[in-house]
Amino acid sequence: MAGTEAAPEAAPEAVTEAARGAQGPAEEGAELAAVIGATVPTGFELTAAAEVQEKLGSASRVSRDRGKIYFEVPAGALPQVHRLRSVDNLFVVVQEFKDYQFKESKEDALKDLEELVKKLPWTDPLKVWELNNSLKKKKTKRKKHHLQRAASKEKQNEEGAAPRDIDAEEDGAPEPTSGQDTEEAAGQAPQNGEEEENEQSDARDESQAGSGSEAKVGEGDVKVLKFRVTCNRAGDKHSFTSNEAARDFGGAVQEHFQWKADMTNFDVEVLLNIHNNEVVVGIALTEESLHRRNITHFGPTTLRSTLAYGMLRLCDPQPTDIIVDPMCGTGAIPIEGATEWPSCYHIAGDNNPQAVKRAANNICSLLKKNENKESASSGIPLDIIQWDICSLPLRSGSVDIIVTDMPFGKRIGSKKKNWDLYPACLLEMGRICAPGTGRAVLLTQDKKCFAKALSRMGHIWRKAQTVWVNVGGLHAAVYLLKRTWERAEEKRSFW
Protein backbone atom coordinates (compact mmCIF):
# COMPACT_ATOMS: atom_id res chain seq x y z
CA MET A 1 0.00 0.00 0.00
CA ALA A 2 1.50 3.28 -1.09
CA GLY A 3 1.83 6.50 0.82
CA THR A 4 3.46 5.38 4.09
CA GLU A 5 6.36 7.68 4.88
CA ALA A 6 9.37 7.45 7.14
CA ALA A 7 9.62 8.79 10.67
CA PRO A 8 7.97 12.11 11.64
CA GLU A 9 9.99 15.20 10.96
CA ALA A 10 12.02 16.76 13.73
CA ALA A 11 12.21 13.49 15.70
CA PRO A 12 15.62 13.53 17.46
CA GLU A 13 17.55 10.26 17.40
CA ALA A 14 18.80 10.69 20.96
CA VAL A 15 16.45 10.61 23.93
CA THR A 16 17.08 11.99 27.38
CA GLU A 17 19.03 9.76 29.74
CA ALA A 18 16.54 10.43 32.54
CA ALA A 19 13.64 9.12 30.50
CA ARG A 20 15.68 6.20 29.17
CA GLY A 21 16.74 5.18 32.66
CA ALA A 22 13.17 5.29 33.97
CA GLN A 23 12.04 2.43 31.78
CA GLY A 24 15.01 0.07 31.81
CA PRO A 25 17.39 -0.88 29.00
CA ALA A 26 15.63 -4.07 27.94
CA GLU A 27 12.10 -2.71 27.87
CA GLU A 28 10.18 -2.89 24.61
CA GLY A 29 10.11 0.36 22.67
CA ALA A 30 13.27 1.74 24.31
CA GLU A 31 14.72 2.92 20.99
CA LEU A 32 11.46 4.18 19.47
CA ALA A 33 10.93 7.89 20.11
CA ALA A 34 7.38 9.12 20.52
CA VAL A 35 6.09 12.68 20.35
CA ILE A 36 3.27 12.74 22.90
CA GLY A 37 0.48 15.27 22.99
CA ALA A 38 -1.41 15.79 26.24
CA THR A 39 -4.54 17.74 27.04
CA VAL A 40 -4.30 19.48 30.41
CA PRO A 41 -6.53 21.84 32.42
CA THR A 42 -6.39 25.19 30.66
CA GLY A 43 -4.20 27.59 32.56
CA PHE A 44 -2.03 24.84 34.02
CA GLU A 45 0.01 24.11 30.88
CA LEU A 46 3.26 25.30 32.49
CA THR A 47 2.51 23.22 35.59
CA ALA A 48 2.10 20.13 33.42
CA ALA A 49 5.30 20.96 31.54
CA ALA A 50 7.16 21.25 34.84
CA GLU A 51 5.87 17.84 35.94
CA VAL A 52 6.97 16.23 32.66
CA GLN A 53 10.44 17.74 33.06
CA GLU A 54 10.65 16.61 36.68
CA LYS A 55 9.39 13.04 36.24
CA LEU A 56 10.41 12.17 32.68
CA GLY A 57 13.36 14.47 32.07
CA SER A 58 11.77 15.78 28.87
CA ALA A 59 11.22 19.38 27.86
CA SER A 60 7.66 20.29 26.83
CA ARG A 61 6.27 22.75 24.35
CA VAL A 62 3.03 24.52 25.15
CA SER A 63 0.63 24.63 22.21
CA ARG A 64 -0.87 27.85 20.92
CA ASP A 65 -4.15 26.01 21.33
CA ARG A 66 -4.66 26.36 25.10
CA GLY A 67 -4.88 23.21 27.14
CA LYS A 68 -2.28 21.14 25.26
CA ILE A 69 1.41 20.39 25.64
CA TYR A 70 3.80 18.29 23.55
CA PHE A 71 6.90 16.38 24.66
CA GLU A 72 9.13 13.59 23.40
CA VAL A 73 9.95 10.39 25.26
CA PRO A 74 11.13 6.90 24.33
CA ALA A 75 8.11 4.71 23.71
CA GLY A 76 9.25 2.43 26.53
CA ALA A 77 8.50 5.25 28.98
CA LEU A 78 4.73 5.08 28.27
CA PRO A 79 3.94 3.63 31.73
CA GLN A 80 5.51 6.71 33.34
CA VAL A 81 3.60 8.97 30.94
CA HIS A 82 0.29 7.43 32.03
CA ARG A 83 1.20 8.10 35.66
CA LEU A 84 1.49 11.86 35.16
CA ARG A 85 -0.92 13.65 37.50
CA SER A 86 -1.54 16.82 35.49
CA VAL A 87 -2.70 15.42 32.12
CA ASP A 88 -6.26 14.57 31.10
CA ASN A 89 -5.83 12.73 27.78
CA LEU A 90 -2.83 11.45 25.84
CA PHE A 91 -2.18 10.93 22.14
CA VAL A 92 0.82 10.13 20.00
CA VAL A 93 1.50 12.75 17.33
CA VAL A 94 1.56 11.51 13.75
CA GLN A 95 2.53 14.88 12.32
CA GLU A 96 2.16 18.56 13.19
CA PHE A 97 1.73 21.47 10.78
CA LYS A 98 2.34 24.83 12.42
CA ASP A 99 1.15 26.88 9.44
CA TYR A 100 -1.18 24.78 7.32
CA GLN A 101 -2.56 26.71 4.35
CA PHE A 102 -6.21 25.81 3.88
CA LYS A 103 -7.77 26.38 0.47
CA GLU A 104 -10.51 28.99 0.33
CA SER A 105 -13.27 26.79 -1.08
CA LYS A 106 -14.75 24.04 1.05
CA GLU A 107 -14.31 21.40 -1.65
CA ASP A 108 -10.62 22.17 -2.16
CA ALA A 109 -9.88 22.39 1.55
CA LEU A 110 -11.52 19.03 2.26
CA LYS A 111 -9.83 17.47 -0.76
CA ASP A 112 -6.45 18.57 0.63
CA LEU A 113 -7.23 16.92 3.94
CA GLU A 114 -8.10 13.70 2.12
CA GLU A 115 -4.83 13.82 0.19
CA LEU A 116 -2.93 14.48 3.42
CA VAL A 117 -3.76 11.04 4.82
CA LYS A 118 -1.53 9.08 2.44
CA LYS A 119 1.37 11.52 2.97
CA LEU A 120 1.51 11.18 6.74
CA PRO A 121 4.22 9.13 8.53
CA TRP A 122 1.91 6.61 10.24
CA THR A 123 4.39 3.76 10.87
CA ASP A 124 6.09 4.76 14.13
CA PRO A 125 2.99 6.32 15.75
CA LEU A 126 1.06 3.10 15.11
CA LYS A 127 3.88 1.11 16.72
CA VAL A 128 3.59 3.37 19.76
CA TRP A 129 -0.19 2.83 19.76
CA GLU A 130 0.34 -0.97 19.71
CA LEU A 131 2.83 -0.81 22.57
CA ASN A 132 0.36 1.30 24.54
CA ASN A 133 -2.32 -1.36 24.03
CA SER A 134 0.01 -4.12 25.23
CA LEU A 135 0.46 -2.13 28.45
CA LYS A 136 -3.33 -1.89 28.84
CA LYS A 137 -3.57 -5.65 28.37
CA LYS A 138 -1.13 -6.23 31.24
CA LYS A 139 -3.11 -3.81 33.41
CA THR A 140 -6.33 -5.69 32.67
CA LYS A 141 -4.74 -9.00 33.65
CA ARG A 142 -3.56 -7.50 36.95
CA LYS A 143 -7.02 -6.08 37.63
CA LYS A 144 -8.69 -9.42 36.96
CA HIS A 145 -6.24 -11.10 39.32
CA HIS A 146 -7.11 -8.64 42.09
CA LEU A 147 -10.85 -9.08 41.52
CA GLN A 148 -10.53 -12.86 41.56
CA ARG A 149 -8.52 -12.68 44.78
CA ALA A 150 -11.15 -10.42 46.36
CA ALA A 151 -13.90 -12.81 45.26
CA SER A 152 -12.02 -15.70 46.82
CA LYS A 153 -11.76 -13.82 50.12
CA GLU A 154 -15.46 -13.01 50.05
CA LYS A 155 -16.30 -16.65 49.37
CA GLN A 156 -14.19 -17.78 52.31
CA ASN A 157 -16.09 -15.35 54.48
CA GLU A 158 -19.38 -16.79 53.18
CA GLU A 159 -20.44 -13.41 51.88
CA GLY A 160 -20.90 -14.41 48.27
CA ALA A 161 -19.01 -13.14 45.25
CA ALA A 162 -17.06 -9.90 45.32
CA PRO A 163 -19.21 -6.93 44.32
CA ARG A 164 -18.26 -4.80 41.35
CA ASP A 165 -17.31 -1.69 43.27
CA ILE A 166 -14.15 0.16 44.10
CA ASP A 167 -11.49 -1.19 41.77
CA ALA A 168 -13.83 -2.03 38.92
CA GLU A 169 -15.45 1.39 38.99
CA GLU A 170 -12.11 3.14 39.21
CA ASP A 171 -10.76 1.46 36.11
CA GLY A 172 -14.06 1.39 34.25
CA ALA A 173 -15.71 4.16 32.27
CA PRO A 174 -18.35 6.12 34.20
CA GLU A 175 -20.73 8.37 32.40
CA PRO A 176 -19.12 11.70 31.41
CA THR A 177 -20.08 14.73 33.43
CA SER A 178 -21.11 18.02 31.92
CA GLY A 179 -18.42 20.44 30.91
CA GLN A 180 -15.76 17.90 29.93
CA ASP A 181 -13.49 18.99 27.14
CA THR A 182 -13.95 17.67 23.60
CA GLU A 183 -10.99 15.32 23.69
CA GLU A 184 -12.31 13.50 26.73
CA ALA A 185 -15.82 13.07 25.39
CA ALA A 186 -14.43 11.93 22.05
CA GLY A 187 -12.22 9.31 23.67
CA GLN A 188 -14.86 7.84 25.98
CA ALA A 189 -14.81 4.05 25.90
CA PRO A 190 -17.88 1.80 26.13
CA GLN A 191 -19.02 0.94 29.65
CA ASN A 192 -17.73 -2.64 29.66
CA GLY A 193 -14.18 -1.45 30.29
CA GLU A 194 -12.50 -4.82 30.99
CA GLU A 195 -14.07 -6.66 28.06
CA GLU A 196 -13.25 -3.79 25.72
CA GLU A 197 -9.60 -3.73 26.77
CA ASN A 198 -9.26 -7.48 26.24
CA GLU A 199 -10.96 -7.34 22.87
CA GLN A 200 -8.74 -4.53 21.68
CA SER A 201 -5.53 -5.92 23.16
CA ASP A 202 -6.04 -9.30 21.50
CA ALA A 203 -6.29 -7.55 18.17
CA ARG A 204 -2.91 -5.84 18.45
CA ASP A 205 -0.34 -8.59 18.70
CA GLU A 206 1.16 -7.83 15.28
CA SER A 207 1.94 -4.45 13.75
CA GLN A 208 -0.48 -3.41 11.08
CA ALA A 209 1.52 -0.30 10.23
CA GLY A 210 3.37 -1.94 7.37
CA SER A 211 0.36 -3.35 5.54
CA GLY A 212 -2.02 -0.87 7.12
CA SER A 213 -5.02 -3.15 6.78
CA GLU A 214 -5.16 -5.97 9.31
CA ALA A 215 -4.00 -7.13 12.73
CA LYS A 216 -3.63 -10.79 13.65
CA VAL A 217 -5.37 -12.21 16.68
CA GLY A 218 -5.01 -15.62 18.23
CA GLU A 219 -3.59 -18.29 15.94
CA GLY A 220 -4.53 -17.76 12.34
CA ASP A 221 -7.51 -15.51 13.01
CA VAL A 222 -7.53 -12.12 11.32
CA LYS A 223 -9.51 -9.12 12.50
CA VAL A 224 -9.94 -5.85 10.68
CA LEU A 225 -9.46 -2.93 13.03
CA LYS A 226 -12.32 -0.55 13.68
CA PHE A 227 -11.66 3.18 13.86
CA ARG A 228 -13.15 6.62 14.04
CA VAL A 229 -11.87 10.13 13.40
CA THR A 230 -12.54 12.93 15.90
CA CYS A 231 -12.02 16.48 14.71
CA ASN A 232 -11.50 19.27 17.26
CA ARG A 233 -11.58 22.60 15.43
CA ALA A 234 -11.15 26.17 16.66
CA GLY A 235 -11.10 29.31 14.53
CA ASP A 236 -13.51 31.30 12.39
CA LYS A 237 -11.65 31.27 9.07
CA HIS A 238 -12.34 27.70 8.01
CA SER A 239 -14.73 27.03 5.15
CA PHE A 240 -15.73 23.64 6.58
CA THR A 241 -17.22 22.31 9.81
CA SER A 242 -15.64 19.84 12.23
CA ASN A 243 -18.05 17.11 11.12
CA GLU A 244 -17.21 17.65 7.45
CA ALA A 245 -13.48 17.48 8.16
CA ALA A 246 -13.87 14.33 10.24
CA ARG A 247 -16.09 12.72 7.59
CA ASP A 248 -13.75 13.34 4.63
CA PHE A 249 -10.51 12.73 6.53
CA GLY A 250 -12.03 9.54 7.94
CA GLY A 251 -13.04 8.35 4.50
CA ALA A 252 -9.45 8.75 3.34
CA VAL A 253 -8.16 6.89 6.43
CA GLN A 254 -10.57 4.03 5.70
CA GLU A 255 -9.43 3.81 2.10
CA HIS A 256 -5.75 4.04 3.08
CA PHE A 257 -5.76 1.32 5.77
CA GLN A 258 -8.85 -0.69 4.80
CA TRP A 259 -10.10 -0.33 8.38
CA LYS A 260 -13.78 -0.43 9.27
CA ALA A 261 -15.45 2.75 10.49
CA ASP A 262 -17.26 2.46 13.82
CA MET A 263 -18.21 5.54 15.83
CA THR A 264 -18.77 3.77 19.16
CA ASN A 265 -17.01 0.40 19.37
CA PHE A 266 -13.70 1.43 17.83
CA ASP A 267 -10.14 0.15 18.27
CA VAL A 268 -8.28 3.18 16.92
CA GLU A 269 -9.24 6.81 17.40
CA VAL A 270 -7.55 9.17 14.97
CA LEU A 271 -7.49 12.79 16.13
CA LEU A 272 -7.58 15.74 13.75
CA ASN A 273 -6.89 18.86 15.82
CA ILE A 274 -7.27 22.15 13.94
CA HIS A 275 -6.60 25.48 15.67
CA ASN A 276 -6.64 28.32 13.13
CA ASN A 277 -3.72 27.35 10.84
CA GLU A 278 -2.20 24.84 13.23
CA VAL A 279 -3.03 21.21 12.36
CA VAL A 280 -2.03 18.20 14.45
CA VAL A 281 -2.86 14.62 13.49
CA GLY A 282 -2.61 12.09 16.31
CA ILE A 283 -3.73 8.70 17.60
CA ALA A 284 -5.43 8.55 21.01
CA LEU A 285 -3.66 6.62 23.78
CA THR A 286 -6.37 7.04 26.44
CA GLU A 287 -9.94 5.78 26.26
CA GLU A 288 -11.15 7.89 29.17
CA SER A 289 -9.70 10.97 30.78
CA LEU A 290 -7.02 10.29 33.39
CA HIS A 291 -8.66 12.87 35.68
CA ARG A 292 -11.18 10.18 36.76
CA ARG A 293 -8.54 8.29 38.70
CA ASN A 294 -9.66 9.07 42.29
CA ILE A 295 -13.42 9.64 42.31
CA THR A 296 -16.07 6.92 42.38
CA HIS A 297 -18.82 8.88 44.17
CA PHE A 298 -19.60 12.08 42.28
CA GLY A 299 -21.31 15.23 43.50
CA PRO A 300 -22.91 18.13 41.63
CA THR A 301 -19.58 19.99 41.31
CA THR A 302 -16.88 17.32 41.49
CA LEU A 303 -13.48 18.83 40.68
CA ARG A 304 -11.16 17.14 38.21
CA SER A 305 -8.23 15.37 39.84
CA THR A 306 -5.89 16.98 37.31
CA LEU A 307 -7.07 20.46 38.27
CA ALA A 308 -6.76 19.55 41.94
CA TYR A 309 -3.16 18.47 41.31
CA GLY A 310 -2.37 21.77 39.58
CA MET A 311 -3.81 23.75 42.49
CA LEU A 312 -1.83 21.74 45.05
CA ARG A 313 1.40 22.02 43.10
CA LEU A 314 0.94 25.78 42.91
CA CYS A 315 1.41 26.08 46.68
CA ASP A 316 4.55 23.88 46.71
CA PRO A 317 3.79 21.49 49.61
CA GLN A 318 6.75 20.54 51.79
CA PRO A 319 7.17 17.43 53.98
CA THR A 320 5.20 17.61 57.27
CA ASP A 321 3.00 20.48 55.99
CA ILE A 322 -0.57 20.44 57.26
CA ILE A 323 -2.89 20.96 54.29
CA VAL A 324 -6.59 21.74 54.77
CA ASP A 325 -9.50 21.80 52.34
CA PRO A 326 -12.31 23.46 54.33
CA MET A 327 -14.92 23.03 51.55
CA CYS A 328 -13.89 19.64 50.21
CA GLY A 329 -17.08 18.51 48.44
CA THR A 330 -16.39 14.97 47.19
CA GLY A 331 -12.78 15.17 48.33
CA ALA A 332 -10.96 15.53 45.00
CA ILE A 333 -8.33 17.95 46.36
CA PRO A 334 -7.38 16.19 49.64
CA ILE A 335 -7.42 12.74 48.01
CA GLU A 336 -5.11 13.95 45.25
CA GLY A 337 -2.94 15.62 47.88
CA ALA A 338 -2.70 12.54 50.08
CA THR A 339 -1.83 10.43 47.03
CA GLU A 340 0.88 12.69 45.61
CA TRP A 341 2.19 14.27 48.83
CA PRO A 342 1.93 11.46 51.44
CA SER A 343 4.56 13.12 53.65
CA CYS A 344 2.06 15.92 54.39
CA TYR A 345 -0.98 15.62 56.65
CA HIS A 346 -4.29 16.39 54.94
CA ILE A 347 -7.55 17.45 56.58
CA ALA A 348 -10.81 17.71 54.64
CA GLY A 349 -14.13 19.09 55.76
CA ASP A 350 -17.48 20.36 54.55
CA ASN A 351 -20.70 21.66 56.12
CA ASN A 352 -22.84 19.40 53.92
CA PRO A 353 -23.23 15.91 55.47
CA GLN A 354 -23.91 14.39 52.05
CA ALA A 355 -20.66 15.82 50.69
CA VAL A 356 -18.75 14.47 53.69
CA LYS A 357 -20.30 11.04 53.08
CA ARG A 358 -19.28 11.10 49.39
CA ALA A 359 -15.75 12.15 50.30
CA ALA A 360 -15.51 9.38 52.89
CA ASN A 361 -16.69 6.84 50.29
CA ASN A 362 -14.07 8.10 47.84
CA ILE A 363 -11.39 7.73 50.52
CA CYS A 364 -12.55 4.16 51.15
CA SER A 365 -12.37 3.50 47.42
CA LEU A 366 -8.79 4.74 47.34
CA LEU A 367 -7.84 2.56 50.32
CA LYS A 368 -9.40 -0.44 48.60
CA LYS A 369 -7.55 0.35 45.41
CA ASN A 370 -4.24 0.57 47.28
CA GLU A 371 -5.00 -2.74 48.97
CA ASN A 372 -5.59 -4.36 45.59
CA LYS A 373 -2.27 -2.98 44.39
CA GLU A 374 -0.62 -4.63 47.39
CA SER A 375 0.59 -1.24 48.51
CA ALA A 376 3.04 -1.23 51.39
CA SER A 377 1.01 1.46 53.12
CA SER A 378 -2.20 0.42 54.85
CA GLY A 379 -3.66 3.93 54.99
CA ILE A 380 -3.37 7.48 53.77
CA PRO A 381 -2.57 10.66 55.76
CA LEU A 382 -6.06 12.10 55.43
CA ASP A 383 -8.92 12.78 57.84
CA ILE A 384 -12.38 14.14 57.02
CA ILE A 385 -14.84 15.95 59.28
CA GLN A 386 -18.12 17.84 59.06
CA TRP A 387 -17.71 21.45 60.16
CA ASP A 388 -18.71 25.07 59.68
CA ILE A 389 -16.35 26.92 57.33
CA CYS A 390 -16.82 30.11 59.34
CA SER A 391 -15.92 28.43 62.63
CA LEU A 392 -13.29 25.76 62.04
CA PRO A 393 -12.29 23.48 64.97
CA LEU A 394 -8.59 24.18 64.37
CA ARG A 395 -6.09 26.17 66.41
CA SER A 396 -4.99 29.61 65.20
CA GLY A 397 -1.85 29.46 63.06
CA SER A 398 -1.81 25.64 62.99
CA VAL A 399 -2.22 25.14 59.22
CA ASP A 400 0.47 25.54 56.56
CA ILE A 401 -1.61 25.38 53.38
CA ILE A 402 -5.28 25.83 52.47
CA VAL A 403 -6.47 24.56 49.08
CA THR A 404 -10.15 24.64 48.20
CA ASP A 405 -12.77 25.05 45.50
CA MET A 406 -15.03 27.87 46.68
CA PRO A 407 -18.75 27.86 45.77
CA PHE A 408 -19.33 29.56 42.43
CA GLY A 409 -22.87 30.54 43.37
CA LYS A 410 -24.36 28.55 40.48
CA ARG A 411 -24.98 24.87 41.28
CA ILE A 412 -24.18 25.36 44.96
CA GLY A 413 -25.12 28.46 46.98
CA SER A 414 -25.79 31.79 45.30
CA LYS A 415 -23.79 34.84 44.29
CA LYS A 416 -25.80 36.89 46.76
CA LYS A 417 -24.74 34.62 49.62
CA ASN A 418 -21.13 34.75 48.42
CA TRP A 419 -20.94 38.45 49.34
CA ASP A 420 -21.21 37.43 52.99
CA LEU A 421 -19.55 34.03 52.74
CA TYR A 422 -16.32 34.98 50.97
CA PRO A 423 -15.00 37.58 53.45
CA ALA A 424 -16.01 35.38 56.38
CA CYS A 425 -14.15 32.43 54.80
CA LEU A 426 -11.03 34.47 54.13
CA LEU A 427 -11.00 35.72 57.72
CA GLU A 428 -11.36 32.23 59.21
CA MET A 429 -8.78 30.82 56.79
CA GLY A 430 -6.44 33.62 57.82
CA ARG A 431 -6.95 32.71 61.49
CA ILE A 432 -5.96 29.05 61.13
CA CYS A 433 -3.15 29.69 58.59
CA ALA A 434 0.40 30.20 59.90
CA PRO A 435 1.30 33.92 59.81
CA GLY A 436 4.18 34.79 57.50
CA THR A 437 4.62 31.33 55.95
CA GLY A 438 1.09 30.10 55.28
CA ARG A 439 -0.44 30.13 51.81
CA ALA A 440 -3.79 29.45 50.22
CA VAL A 441 -4.86 28.37 46.74
CA LEU A 442 -8.50 29.17 46.06
CA LEU A 443 -10.61 28.47 42.96
CA THR A 444 -13.68 30.53 42.13
CA GLN A 445 -15.70 31.72 39.19
CA ASP A 446 -17.25 34.55 41.21
CA LYS A 447 -14.22 36.77 40.60
CA LYS A 448 -15.89 40.10 41.33
CA CYS A 449 -17.08 38.98 44.75
CA PHE A 450 -13.72 37.42 45.55
CA ALA A 451 -11.80 40.57 44.56
CA LYS A 452 -13.99 42.66 46.86
CA ALA A 453 -13.60 40.21 49.75
CA LEU A 454 -9.83 40.06 49.24
CA SER A 455 -9.58 43.85 49.32
CA ARG A 456 -11.30 43.79 52.72
CA MET A 457 -8.94 41.07 53.93
CA GLY A 458 -5.81 42.74 52.60
CA HIS A 459 -4.30 42.95 56.06
CA ILE A 460 -3.98 39.14 56.31
CA TRP A 461 -3.78 37.97 52.69
CA ARG A 462 -1.58 39.13 49.79
CA LYS A 463 -2.32 37.92 46.25
CA ALA A 464 0.83 36.36 44.76
CA GLN A 465 -0.45 34.82 41.51
CA THR A 466 -3.60 34.34 39.44
CA VAL A 467 -4.12 31.41 37.04
CA TRP A 468 -7.07 31.69 34.65
CA VAL A 469 -8.74 28.34 34.08
CA ASN A 470 -11.70 26.80 32.29
CA VAL A 471 -13.96 24.79 34.60
CA GLY A 472 -16.82 23.08 32.80
CA GLY A 473 -16.98 25.90 30.26
CA LEU A 474 -16.87 28.59 32.97
CA HIS A 475 -14.10 31.19 33.04
CA ALA A 476 -12.70 30.85 36.54
CA ALA A 477 -9.58 31.86 38.44
CA VAL A 478 -7.17 30.13 40.81
CA TYR A 479 -5.65 32.57 43.30
CA LEU A 480 -2.40 31.91 45.17
CA LEU A 481 -2.47 33.94 48.39
CA LYS A 482 0.32 34.47 50.92
CA ARG A 483 -0.41 34.94 54.62
CA THR A 484 0.88 38.17 56.15
CA TRP A 485 2.33 38.39 59.67
CA GLU A 486 -0.68 40.25 61.05
CA ARG A 487 -3.08 38.44 63.35
CA ALA A 488 -6.44 37.70 61.77
CA GLU A 489 -8.45 38.51 64.91
CA GLU A 490 -7.29 42.12 65.00
CA LYS A 491 -9.62 43.33 62.24
CA ARG A 492 -13.00 41.59 62.20
CA SER A 493 -14.98 44.52 60.79
CA PHE A 494 -15.23 43.65 57.11
CA TRP A 495 -18.92 44.19 56.34
Side-chain angles (χ1 to χ4, degrees):
M1 184 180 59
T4 306
E5 305 235 339
E9 60 183 22
E13 296 180 3
V15 296
T16 62
E17 290 301 322
R20 188 190 297 274
Q23 40 91 24
E27 194 157 339
E28 185 181 1
E31 299 304 320
L32 178 63
V35 179
I36 302 296
T39 63
V40 304
T42 54
F44 280 100
E45 295 88 353
L46 294 179
T47 299
E51 186 193 10
V52 170
Q53 179 68 50
E54 174 187 304
K55 296 180 178 178
L56 298 175
S58 300
S60 298
R61 177 175 55 82
V62 177
S63 171
R64 286 178 291 179
D65 183 10
R66 292 191 72 200
K68 294 187 182 69
I69 63 170
Y70 298 95
F71 54 92
E72 184 174 343
V73 293
L78 280 174
Q80 287 75 30
V81 174
H82 279 273
R83 286 197 287 269
L84 292 172
R85 312 297 293 183
S86 55
V87 304
D88 287 319
N89 292 279
L90 297 166
F91 58 94
V92 58
V93 174
V94 176
Q95 194 163 5
E96 178 182 7
F97 303 89
K98 295 184 178 180
D99 189 22
Y100 191 94
Q101 297 300 313
F102 290 101
K103 298 291 179 60
E104 290 187 7
S105 73
K106 178 192 296 188
E107 292 75 13
D108 291 341
L110 293 175
K111 184 67 176 178
D112 275 359
L113 288 177
E114 290 181 33
E115 294 294 326
L116 180 63
V117 170
K118 56 188 177 184
K119 301 175 183 177
L120 293 172
W122 294 98
T123 304
D124 282 354
L126 282 169
K127 289 179 181 177
V128 173
W129 171 82
E130 289 171 0
L131 179 58
N132 187 72
N133 288 328
S134 70
L135 296 172
K136 288 194 295 184
K137 185 176 181 180
K138 293 176 183 177
K139 178 181 177 183
T140 301
K141 288 181 178 179
R142 288 197 301 269
K143 183 173 67 175
K144 283 193 170 183
H145 169 72
H146 293 318
L147 290 175
Q148 289 169 357
R149 187 179 61 180
S152 177
K153 287 182 180 180
E154 294 286 348
K155 188 174 182 180
Q156 291 174 4
N157 293 332
E158 297 182 352
E159 294 178 7
R164 176 175 174 81
D165 57 358
I166 305 341
D167 201 40
E169 286 186 49
E170 190 74 18
D171 288 329
E175 290 292 335
T177 56
S178 61
Q180 293 173 358
D181 52 25
T182 308
E183 289 79 9
E184 177 197 344
Q188 186 66 39
Q191 296 296 305
N192 54 336
E194 290 183 42
E195 297 175 5
E196 184 68 16
E197 283 186 1
N198 283 329
E199 178 186 343
Q200 293 181 16
S201 297
D202 290 341
R204 294 159 182 158
D205 292 336
E206 180 175 314
S207 171
Q208 83 288 357
S211 65
S213 60
E214 297 172 334
K216 291 184 179 180
V217 293
E219 297 182 1
D221 295 332
V222 176
K223 175 186 175 182
V224 176
L225 292 177
K226 294 176 286 187
F227 83 103
R228 84 171 190 183
V229 171
T230 300
C231 178
N232 302 296
R233 184 185 62 86
D236 55 4
K237 296 183 179 180
H238 304 124
S239 59
F240 51 86
T241 66
S242 300
N243 286 338
E244 290 169 338
R247 178 197 64 205
D248 288 24
F249 192 83
V253 169
Q254 183 175 24
E255 181 179 351
H256 187 64
F257 290 108
Q258 297 300 303
W259 291 341
K260 181 181 178 181
D262 193 320
M263 297 300 292
T264 54
N265 190 27
F266 50 87
D267 301 305
V268 189
E269 181 176 25
V270 178
L271 303 175
L272 177 61
N273 295 329
I274 303 173
H275 182 258
N276 293 323
N277 283 343
E278 182 181 74
V279 176
V280 180
V281 180
I283 302 173
L285 299 179
T286 47
E287 294 176 351
E288 63 169 340
S289 177
L290 298 177
H291 84 262
R292 296 179 175 276
R293 56 182 171 259
N294 293 333
I295 306 300
T296 55
H297 296 76
F298 292 85
T301 59
T302 299
L303 195 68
R304 289 171 174 240
S305 297
T306 46
L307 183 52
Y309 173 84
M311 293 171 63
L312 284 155
R313 191 178 174 107
L314 198 60
C315 58
D316 190 25
Q318 299 299 311
T320 74
D321 275 351
I322 296 176
I323 305 177
V324 172
D325 182 353
M327 294 178 278
C328 68
T330 53
I333 292 174
I335 290 174
E336 184 67 22
T339 302
E340 187 68 8
W341 288 275
S343 59
C344 299
Y345 178 52
H346 305 262
I347 306 174
D350 202 287
N351 70 335
N352 186 334
Q354 187 62 35
V356 173
K357 182 178 179 181
R358 290 193 188 105
N361 286 334
N362 284 324
I363 294 171
C364 290
S365 297
L366 182 63
L367 290 171
K368 179 70 173 179
K369 184 179 178 184
N370 289 343
E371 178 185 321
N372 285 341
K373 287 182 176 180
E374 298 177 347
S375 174
S377 175
S378 59
I380 55 175
L382 168 59
D383 281 326
I384 183 167
I385 187 173
Q386 183 178 343
W387 60 25
D388 179 3
I389 176 59
C390 298
S391 182
L392 298 174
L394 298 170
R395 291 182 180 178
S396 298
S398 63
V399 173
D400 298 291
I401 296 172
I402 296 172
V403 185
T404 198
D405 174 13
M406 302 185 75
F408 287 11
K410 291 184 177 291
R411 293 185 185 177
I412 292 181
S414 67
K415 293 206 171 187
K416 183 178 179 181
K417 290 181 179 179
N418 284 350
W419 285 98
D420 290 331
L421 178 65
Y422 277 23
C425 288
L426 287 176
L427 183 66
E428 184 66 356
M429 291 176 189
R431 181 188 68 79
I432 66 171
C433 209
T437 59
R439 54 258 191 226
V441 174
L442 309 177
L443 166 67
T444 181
Q445 190 262 340
D446 197 349
K447 300 178 287 294
K448 182 178 179 181
C449 180
F450 184 86
K452 186 67 174 178
L454 186 60
S455 69
R456 293 169 175 170
M457 293 293 110
H459 61 291
I460 54 176
W461 291 113
R462 292 279 187 269
K463 184 170 67 174
Q465 186 179 349
T466 304
V467 178
W468 302 105
V469 297
N470 184 310
V471 181
L474 299 174
H475 184 58
V478 174
Y479 297 96
L480 171 61
L481 307 181
K482 297 293 182 69
R483 180 69 169 84
T484 68
W485 286 99
E486 188 167 346
R487 291 185 60 186
E489 293 87 351
E490 291 182 6
K491 295 184 180 180
R492 284 189 173 272
S493 178
F494 50 82
W495 306 109

